[in-house]
Amino acid sequence: MSQSGHRYTLEIISDSGELLDQLAADINWEPPAECTRFTGIRRGQIPAVMATGERVVQPVWHPKLERPYVCEFYLTVFGDNGEQVSAEIPLSYVGDLARRASARLVEKGVLQAGSRFHYRVFAVEDSAATQSEPSAAPSFSVEEVPRALPLHTGCLLDALEDGLRFGTMTAGDMPVFIPHHVLTEASVLARQAGANETGGILIGHLLRGPGSPEIFAKITAQIPAKHTRTSLTKLTFTADTWAAVRGAISQRGQDEIQLGWWHSHSFLKELCRDCERRGDGTCTTNPSFVSVEDVALHRTCFPRAFSLALVISDSPCGGLGWELFGWRCGMVVSRGFHITEALQPAPRLVTASIVNRESQHGKN
Ligand SMILES: [Zn+2]
Ligand SMILES: [Zn+2]
């Protein structure tokens, strides 16, 4: 690429507007590039091959603060044959860097713990900055995923008809389908583990229909991670876990791949054991989140744009909860999914025969 690169600087600002710190922002563009490439594949703009080609990141100048301040980033990835896909990456992508910088300021006593702060980013042109380095494959992946996406054939409309929407759906997210029995199995294992975390690997297929480039994911099973190190709030998969998962996939013989992982958050069984707010239903503790450690594990072990993380929460006050997280713009965020096999098909009414097929379809 001929455009020169940019260096980014992060500024931390107090609530009263005082500049507290200025540091070089070492931004990892790999996760948003992976997401942008996958979006391009799902739109049919580039072939279904991951982690090849180059990328370019350009600053988008802030409309109020103006150049050199940035309001977002414009990321373009290139296919092997010159195809290109672009995406706007929000400034919040550097939010983690800002939070880490603010934590250091708290340690130094410059910022008070719990006090509000703001951040902004400015860009300076720098021809030495690597602008279009090849987007390398993730540094560590637990599974050898071939560069060509392993796509099965399936009908998205059929899957949607079978599924129940769960959680908040966001336009642009890959549709995900999880059978009810997988959620139940994981929930039972979570409850059996008591207050400790437990987890497993989600396996299944990526599918594409004949008439649309859209890709959707169908989880088929969960494989309990037996070989883990667990504690109240931390789960670590070991080499034996991955070997067991590969063995199970091969034994099942259904050409499944690892689509993600699940783990439980049951620490409130300890923290809320004697909760005084349970009686009147005012306890607001919410264990449905991904911790910094969870995101780090996801980034290391499940870096593919389609990788999912299911959190099963179990608390004496809030009961059992399911929340799915996945990649969006290079960030791990909460997302909706569809529960399948949850209901028996409704009995067909005799009177349905007098309804024309189209309106009958519309009602379903
Ligand atoms: Zn409570
Ligand atoms: Zn967790």
Side-chain angles (χ1 to χ4, degrees):
M1 296 301 106
S2 58
Q3 300 101 317
S4 57
H6 287 84
R7 290 201 184 280
Y8 295 96
T9 301
L10 177 67
E11 291 184 339
I12 307 292
I13 297 140
S14 75
D15 209 19
S16 58
E18 186 193 352
L19 179 63
L20 299 177
D21 199 7
Q22 210 178 44
L23 60 154
D26 184 15
I27 303 170
N28 175 11
W29 295 113
E30 188 54 43
E34 162 88 10
C35 288
T36 305
R37 187 172 295 281
F38 190 55
T39 301
I41 293 171
R42 289 175 46 221
R43 289 183 193 150
Q45 294 169 317
I46 50 175
V49 177
M50 300 295 286
T52 59
E54 297 182 325
R55 60 168 179 253
V56 170
V57 181
Q58 288 169 308
V60 178
W61 304 121
H62 200 291
K64 280 190 191 148
L65 300 174
E66 298 183 349
R67 188 170 180 164
Y69 286 98
V70 172
C71 66
E72 63 182 15
F73 311 94
Y74 194 70
L75 189 151
T76 304
V77 297
F78 298 87
D80 286 344
N81 301 311
E83 310 94 335
Q84 49 179 287
V85 188
S86 298
E88 286 141 12
I89 308 301
L91 193 65
S92 57
Y93 183 63
V94 302
D96 269 351
L97 286 178
R99 274 182 286 280
R100 282 205 291 274
S102 76
R104 284 193 296 273
L105 292 178
V106 170
E107 278 172 22
K108 284 187 201 163
V110 176
L111 189 68
Q112 271 200 327
S115 61
R116 270 163 59 97
F117 70 92
H118 307 268
Y119 62 89
R120 60 189 181 206
V121 171
F122 70 81
V124 177
E125 245 179 77
D126 182 354
S127 53
T130 46
Q131 171 70 333
S132 60
E133 77 272 40
S135 58
S139 55
F140 171 67
S141 173
V142 293
E143 189 199 15
E144 291 285 316
V145 178
R147 292 199 327 168
L149 277 183
L151 295 177
H152 286 241
T153 303
C155 176
L156 178 57
L157 290 179
D158 285 354
L160 287 169
E161 241 174 65
D162 179 39
L164 294 175
R165 292 159 67 101
F166 190 89
T168 307
M169 302 290 170
T170 301
D173 282 355
M174 168 188 72
V176 171
F177 299 86
I178 307 180
H180 191 257
H181 72 85
V182 169
L183 295 164
T184 311
E185 283 169 30
S187 304
V188 168
L189 289 167
R191 189 143 279 191
Q192 284 171 349
N196 282 330
E197 278 201 6
T198 189
I201 306 300
L202 299 169
I203 63 169
H205 300 119
L206 292 175
L207 302 100
R208 181 182 253 180
S212 156
E214 176 61 301
I215 291 170
F216 57 104
K218 266 190 173 178
I219 307 281
T220 48
Q222 65 83 28
I223 299 170
K226 289 181 187 137
H227 310 274
T228 50
R229 292 190 289 271
T230 69
S231 67
L232 211 57
T233 55
K234 199 168 190 306
L235 177 79
T236 313
F237 295 130
T238 67
D240 288 340
T241 311
W242 307 116
V245 170
R246 279 193 291 271
I249 287 178
S250 124
Q251 209 171 24
R252 287 167 60 91
Q254 293 176 35
D255 200 21
E256 288 144 318
I257 59 167
Q258 294 180 26
L259 288 177
W261 61 300
W262 70 269
H263 75 294
S264 60
H265 279 182
S266 304
F267 50 86
L268 287 180
K269 286 185 176 175
E270 287 290 326
L271 299 182
C272 268
R273 192 163 46 182
D274 305 313
C275 185
E276 289 168 358
R277 300 187 145 194
R278 195 180 320 154
D280 56 10
T282 56
C283 176
T284 54
T285 48
N286 178 14
S288 289
F289 61 87
V290 277
S291 66
V292 173
E293 291 82 10
D294 293 338
V295 173
L297 189 154
H298 195 71
R299 194 179 288 134
T300 308
C301 301
F302 298 96
R304 309 315 302 259
F306 52 79
S307 300
L308 302 161
L310 174 69
V311 173
I312 312 270
S313 56
D314 195 5
S315 100
C317 298
L320 200 68
W322 302 322
E323 187 136 0
L324 188 66
F325 296 83
W327 290 104
R328 191 185 301 145
C329 291
M331 294 174 275
V332 181
V333 295
S334 170
R335 49 152 304 151
F337 63 101
H338 303 263
I339 301 175
T340 56
E341 302 169 20
L343 297 174
Q344 295 299 317
R348 284 194 178 275
L349 295 175
V350 179
T351 50
S353 58
I354 60 169
V355 180
N356 76 52
R357 287 178 72 90
E358 233 174 51
S359 63
Q360 190 185 355
H361 190 84
K363 277 183 187 173
N364 283 341

